Amino acid sequence: MTQHPRAAHLSQLGGHRTRGPVRIVDTSLRDGNQSLWGATGITTGMAEAAAVDLAQMNLAAIDFTSSTHLSMGVKFHHENPWERLDRVSAAAPDTLLSAITTGMRFMSWEKASEPVMRLALRMMATHGVRRLHIAEPMNDRDATIRVAQWAKDEGFTQIVAGVVFTESPVHTDERYLANAAAYQAEPAIDHVYLKDPGGLLTVERVRELVPQLREVVHKPLELHSHTTTGAASQLYVTAAALDVDVLHTGLGPLSNGTAQPSLEHLLTNLDAVGIEVDVDRDAAARAAQTLWAIARSQGLAAGAPSEFDLGAHVHQVPGGMMGTLRRQLGEIGMADRLPRVLEECVRVRADLGYPIMVTPFSQFVGSQALMNVLAEESGQDRYSRIPDEVVRFVLGHFGTPEGQIDPDVQTRVRDLPRAAELDRPVPEPSLEELRMLHSERLGRALPDEDLLLAIVMPAEQLDPMYAAGPAPRWVPASAGPPPTDVASFIAAAHTLPRWRSLRIAFGETRIALDRPAQEER
């Protein structure tokens, strides 16, 4: 066993651990990409290239994808999601690839029926994703268990049930512990994880909550937090000392900031207290180099260590949503409104009964907050515009929040003509009925993969994807010769899906291509 430098005066902290070496789930490709690069920074070729080295790290799993990431690949890169799953699973055949789900939707914001949700699970499992994280946004344990059973039926081999942490006047440790005990008792669930999407855990809360979780959870216990407040790097050490089995970390540019703690610094910290980590460090260094090369080639900003910041405990916008919100505000030229939108998020969350700020509810809160800010700037009232998703939430289509929805908001929603339309029962067609409908519309027989995409995505996004063909491989810019003809230039340009400016020279001929900012994504 390799001995790593440790601090003798800190060894007592590491000496409390009893459950063997810490295992690692790498989050770079999924949560790192979403939290730091708006879920659009990684293409199929990039994920494939990074997976080769990630697969050598002896990871517990690669946190690889979600319905959001797959839909972003279609929308922004014209890439087939099933091709992405196939190529990355081929690049990492012996490492579990993870997807995360709320269990209520796939790609679309519309709530999915059971047949559609089962089809989505079956397609992901068929194409190589065999581990599923369930982060039920109401902490509804019955719904979590139901999705876990579906996933096992449809081919997943490892199910990780989330106890989703938040702070509010209505959320309690008793509820967290009751959920954890139910997941311990459920045969379809293999691991339990404490999911902290807003980075709200502190060292003190970890010391309170993790020992209680360990009393009821004998299955592997995982921790997923964000460095949004600057606390996660320290509390990961505390969690490891308290017998958390698996920690979720990022690598290189896809760590820190609003993403997960970096594995590089976690290793230093756990070495210092004498806690062993079961990971191949040389492979980790190679994987980080690949991710750094991707960041440089695309002009993407790396996550930076966060200063201790209690502001996130006020707005509670999670890391992934923060990245998405920055992207959305930038696309409409309102990046400077972020502080006002975060302030409004606090008010909207309270109005809606303190939903946990995790997908999709964090997006609902963020969208309503943005609309309220825009309304007030134009002299209108808050809630003068309400998106359909928030209407459905208030009508109870996504479950019952733990807190009370503001009566004025309830009245405003129920008085909307749109509320009556959305609350009208709609028969759920069977998969065969959906297949007939979309096959007739498209004029061809549809395999399950194409059927699912036709159900959940608009044709104007799918048509360019099908026309684009296979996604290009990604290689570092220095890995090949410079382009010398049109074909090699096109191949090189394909490795730069986020290009902003291209300069082409053939002899004395010069061509300049500049992409307007609003088209970058």
Side-chain angles (χ1 to χ4, degrees):
M1 181 184 301
T2 303
Q3 294 296 317
H4 300 287
R6 66 177 61 186
H9 61 290
L10 298 177
S11 60
Q12 183 178 2
L13 177 62
H16 295 296
R17 184 173 179 83
T18 66
R19 290 179 66 91
V22 170
R23 299 295 308 282
I24 297 296
V25 168
D26 184 81
T27 64
S28 304
L29 298 182
R30 205 274 308 171
D31 208 344
N33 178 28
Q34 181 161 343
S35 297
L36 299 171
W37 296 347
T40 64
I42 296 290
T43 66
T44 293
M46 295 171 190
E48 179 182 46
V52 172
D53 293 317
L54 292 172
Q56 303 303 314
M57 287 175 55
N58 192 35
L59 294 166
I62 296 172
D63 178 19
F64 170 46
T65 197
S66 67
S67 72
T68 296
H69 281 71
L70 296 177
S71 64
M72 289 293 120
V74 174
K75 181 177 180 180
F76 291 105
H77 303 305
H78 308 317
E79 293 183 342
N80 190 306
W82 315 122
E83 179 195 356
R84 178 175 293 203
L85 301 189
D86 288 341
R87 286 170 56 175
V88 174
S89 61
D94 300 319
T95 302
L96 281 172
L97 299 182
S98 291
I100 187 170
T101 184
T102 62
M104 62 172 57
R105 69 179 190 91
F106 186 77
M107 292 193 181
S108 168
W109 287 115
E110 301 286 339
K111 189 173 181 180
S113 65
E114 178 180 342
V116 171
M117 199 65 222
R118 279 182 173 270
L119 177 61
L121 293 169
R122 183 161 65 252
M123 289 301 94
M124 286 192 288
T126 298
H127 289 273
V129 179
R130 297 301 178 87
R131 173 178 149 118
L132 187 70
H133 299 175
I134 305 172
E136 211 292 324
M138 290 285 189
N139 263 337
D140 183 332
R141 57 178 171 268
D142 293 335
T144 297
I145 289 170
R146 182 168 60 251
V147 174
Q149 293 168 346
W150 293 351
K152 280 290 179 74
D153 290 345
E154 302 301 342
F156 280 81
T157 59
Q158 188 175 103
I159 309 299
V160 187
V163 175
V164 185
F165 181 80
T166 190
E167 293 175 330
S168 84
V170 298
H171 291 89
T172 66
D173 286 3
E174 288 74 18
R175 175 68 175 270
Y176 299 145
L177 295 170
N179 283 13
Y183 303 153
Q184 169 62 34
E186 170 53 46
I189 291 171
D190 303 289
H191 292 206
V192 176
Y193 83 133
L194 179 57
K195 179 175 174 61
D196 176 26
L200 302 174
L201 282 170
T202 63
V203 170
E204 292 75 18
R205 289 296 280 126
V206 166
R207 287 177 178 151
E208 291 171 353
L209 188 54
V210 167
Q212 295 180 79
L213 288 171
R214 279 275 58 147
E215 287 183 7
V216 298
V217 176
H218 309 298
K219 296 173 179 177
L221 179 63
E222 306 187 11
L223 173 61
H224 178 106
S225 187
H226 291 251
T227 56
T228 309
T229 67
S233 297
Q234 183 179 2
L235 67 85
Y236 267 36
V237 178
T238 303
L242 294 173
D243 279 340
V244 167
D245 298 288
V246 182
L247 296 173
H248 294 205
T249 64
L251 276 172
L254 287 168
S255 62
N256 294 312
T258 52
Q260 283 66 57
S262 73
L263 175 62
E264 295 93 328
H265 286 98
L266 178 69
L267 291 174
T268 300
N269 293 339
L270 293 186
D271 288 347
V273 300
I275 294 178
E276 186 180 354
V277 184
D278 187 3
V279 71
D280 187 312
R281 300 180 185 219
D282 292 336
R286 293 193 298 273
Q289 288 175 355
T290 298
L291 295 173
W292 278 114
I294 289 170
R296 287 190 294 267
S297 73
Q298 307 303 306
L300 293 164
S306 302
E307 292 191 39
F308 187 59
D309 177 13
L310 295 177
H313 289 262
V314 178
H315 62 69
Q316 298 201 21
V317 173
M321 178 58 190
M322 187 70 79
T324 301
L325 195 56
R326 286 196 185 100
R327 172 175 58 79
Q328 292 172 337
L329 288 170
E331 287 174 348
I332 60 175
M334 295 182 61
D336 61 323
R337 305 298 204 287
L338 181 61
R340 283 198 62 195
V341 174
L342 294 179
E343 290 176 6
E344 181 62 17
C345 283
V346 178
R347 300 176 67 189
V348 171
R349 184 181 183 231
D351 292 343
L352 297 182
Y354 295 100
I356 298 175
M357 292 291 279
V358 67
T359 300
F361 299 155
S362 57
Q363 284 81 356
F364 296 176
V365 170
S367 296
Q368 186 64 65
L370 177 58
M371 288 186 177
N372 287 354
V373 168
L374 293 175
E376 289 186 316
E377 288 190 355
S378 62
Q380 297 176 309
D381 293 336
R382 297 173 67 242
Y383 295 102
S384 56
R385 293 177 58 203
I386 305 176
D388 284 355
E389 293 81 5
V390 174
V391 173
R392 290 191 179 97
F393 180 91
V394 173
L395 294 174
H397 293 189
F398 295 94
T400 304
E402 301 221 13
Q404 176 68 39
I405 296 176
D406 181 87
D408 290 340
V409 173
Q410 286 185 315
T411 299
R412 186 182 286 266
V413 165
R414 294 187 182 281
D415 287 347
L416 291 172
R418 183 63 173 154
E421 297 173 14
L422 294 175
D423 214 21
R424 189 176 300 122
V426 177
E428 291 184 351
S430 68
L431 278 185
E432 287 313 306
E433 290 171 330
L434 289 167
R435 192 184 304 276
M436 290 178 60
L437 172 68
H438 291 288
S439 294
E440 181 177 345
R441 177 175 64 84
L442 295 172
R444 61 185 177 91
L446 296 179
D448 285 345
E449 290 84 349
D450 290 355
L451 171 62
L452 180 57
L453 295 181
I455 293 170
V456 300
M457 297 203 73
E460 59 265 26
Q461 293 179 14
L462 292 175
D463 291 345
M465 179 203 78
Y466 288 121
R473 292 179 60 245
W474 181 86
V475 293
S478 61
T484 56
D485 54 29
V486 172
S488 60
F489 168 75
I490 292 172
H494 269 304
T495 70
L496 300 169
R498 293 168 58 90
W499 65 266
R500 299 175 183 176
S501 177
L502 297 177
R503 297 293 183 267
I504 309 149
F506 286 104
E508 295 185 0
T509 301
R510 301 288 186 271
I511 302 175
L513 300 176
D514 294 292
R515 174 182 280 169
Q518 65 268 24
E519 295 179 8
E520 284 182 14
R521 298 180 186 275

